[in-house]
């Protein structure tokens, strides 16, 4: 289990944090000819080996990297715009399944334990905190992309990337509130955000925008609550 969680952490870092938007666009445009696709494959090999922290794990790290390449390549050629959410979920299920298969195949390898950094509780905490930032933001953005309101020509006076960082902070705060048992604070946070949002949406006078924001907010809060309850139920 510890090795699986360590490799899952490596996957999360490689797929969502180190991979740049420029690299994603290059892969979508050039597909098999994109150099970023091969760089991404090598990155996952290196991260998997680094997390295992054993030279004997290299064949399984290569297995993870090569299958990651094949899964990403298949996604690039077969995904359709209307199935973006499904493609993202299926893509991640395949990656996690490959990691599980690599762990099973590597049973005979004596992987050194790194309890001070990577016991099960710490690993699940790291994974939860990381997932609630950029990966969760990408999932929500993809899920509601078909409802994105059209530009109306007005000047956007909001801070650059403010919505993204608000989402990060609200999900992390909800997670922290739940794992320390302060469930009432979650309701207070939702109420506070609703009050601040109400004025903007009322002035905008756009029902579609209101519904779009509401769906995004409920998804964001819902995912954070589920992750928090999962951790609280396991380690609380």
């Amino acid at each position: 289990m510890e090795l699986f969680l360590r490799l899952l952490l490596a996957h999360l870092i490689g797929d969502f944090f180190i991979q740049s938007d420029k690299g994603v666009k290059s892969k979508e445009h050039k597909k098999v000819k994109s150099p970023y696709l091969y760089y991404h494959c090598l990155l996952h090999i290196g991260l998997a080996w680094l997390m295992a922290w054993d030279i004997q794990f290299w064949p399984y790290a290569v297995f993870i990297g090569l299958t990651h390449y094949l899964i990403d390549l298949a996604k690039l050629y077969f995904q359709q715009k209307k199935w973006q959410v499904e493609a993202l979920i299926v893509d991640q299920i395949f990656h996690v399944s490959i990691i599980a298969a690599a762990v099973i195949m590597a049973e005979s390898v004596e992987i050194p334990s790194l309890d001070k950094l990577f016991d099960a509780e710490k690993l699940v905490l790291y994974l939860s905190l990381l997932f609630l930032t950029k990966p969760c933001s990408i999932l929500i953005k993809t899920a509601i992309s078909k409802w994105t309101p059209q530009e109306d020509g007005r000047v956007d006076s909001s801070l650059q990337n403010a919505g993204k960082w608000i989402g990060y902070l609200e999900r992390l705060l909800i997670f922290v509130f739940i794992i320390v048992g302060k469930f009432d604070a979650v309701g207070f946070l939702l109420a506070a955000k609703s009050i601040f949002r109400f004025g903007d949406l009322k002035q905008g006078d756009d029902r579609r925008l209101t519904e779009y924001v509401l769906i995004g907010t409920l998804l964001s809060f819902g995912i954070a609550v589920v992750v928090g309850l999962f951790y609280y139920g396991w380690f609380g």
Side-chain angles (χ1 to χ4, degrees):
M1 177 59 72
E2 182 184 325
L3 177 59
F4 174 75
L5 292 173
R6 280 155 65 174
L7 293 175
L8 196 58
L9 182 62
H11 168 74
L12 204 64
I13 293 171
D15 235 23
F16 294 97
F17 291 92
I18 297 180
Q19 183 172 216
S20 65
D21 292 338
K22 181 180 178 180
V24 172
K25 290 177 181 177
S26 172
K27 290 194 297 181
E28 290 176 348
H29 179 65
K30 298 181 180 178
K31 294 182 170 58
V32 73
K33 296 181 180 180
S34 171
Y36 285 94
L37 184 61
Y38 302 94
Y39 163 75
H40 191 60
C41 167
L42 292 173
L43 174 66
H44 277 278
I45 292 174
L47 286 171
W49 178 83
L50 185 64
M51 282 296 180
W53 203 249
D54 192 312
I55 189 65
Q56 296 181 47
F57 189 76
W58 74 264
Y60 310 102
V62 171
F63 168 72
I64 290 172
L66 291 179
T67 50
H68 195 105
Y69 164 80
L70 294 174
I71 293 168
D72 278 10
L73 192 62
K75 179 186 174 185
L76 290 171
Y77 278 100
F78 293 107
Q79 74 173 349
Q80 297 180 15
K81 191 172 183 179
K82 63 180 180 179
W83 302 112
Q84 283 183 316
V85 180
E86 291 80 0
L88 177 62
I89 293 173
V90 170
D91 173 71
Q92 294 304 314
I93 289 174
F94 273 116
H95 289 317
V96 174
S97 300
I98 290 297
I99 290 172
V103 171
I104 293 171
M105 291 189 295
E107 276 187 322
S108 60
V109 179
E110 292 292 334
I111 303 296
S113 179
L114 304 171
D115 289 342
K116 291 184 179 180
L117 288 175
F118 295 129
D119 62 28
E121 184 174 355
K122 290 189 182 75
L123 282 165
V124 174
L125 178 62
Y126 301 154
L127 285 165
S128 299
L129 292 173
L130 288 178
F131 172 73
L132 289 173
T133 56
K134 191 174 180 180
C136 191
S137 180
I138 292 172
L139 177 61
I140 293 171
K141 184 178 179 180
T142 304
I144 64 176
S145 60
K146 59 183 177 181
W147 299 306
T148 303
Q150 297 295 322
E151 296 289 341
D152 57 7
R154 291 181 296 181
V155 177
D156 186 3
S157 59
S158 63
L159 298 174
Q160 185 178 9
N161 295 324
K164 178 180 71 175
W165 286 101
I166 290 171
Y168 289 1
L169 290 172
E170 72 183 22
R171 289 189 292 273
L172 291 174
L173 284 172
I174 291 169
F175 177 77
V176 171
F177 289 152
I178 290 177
I179 67 175
V180 299
K182 300 295 183 181
F183 298 97
D184 52 338
V186 177
F188 174 78
L189 183 62
L190 179 58
K193 183 177 181 182
S194 300
I195 292 170
F196 282 112
R197 273 293 191 179
F198 178 76
D200 294 336
L201 295 175
K202 185 177 180 182
Q203 292 173 12
D205 194 27
D206 188 338
R207 182 174 178 178
R208 288 174 298 178
L209 176 61
T210 302
E211 293 172 343
Y212 175 80
V213 171
L214 184 59
I215 292 171
T217 298
L218 291 177
L219 274 175
S220 181
F221 271 73
I223 293 172
V225 168
V226 170
V227 174
L229 289 175
F230 171 78
Y231 185 88
Y232 182 80
W234 196 351
F235 300 108

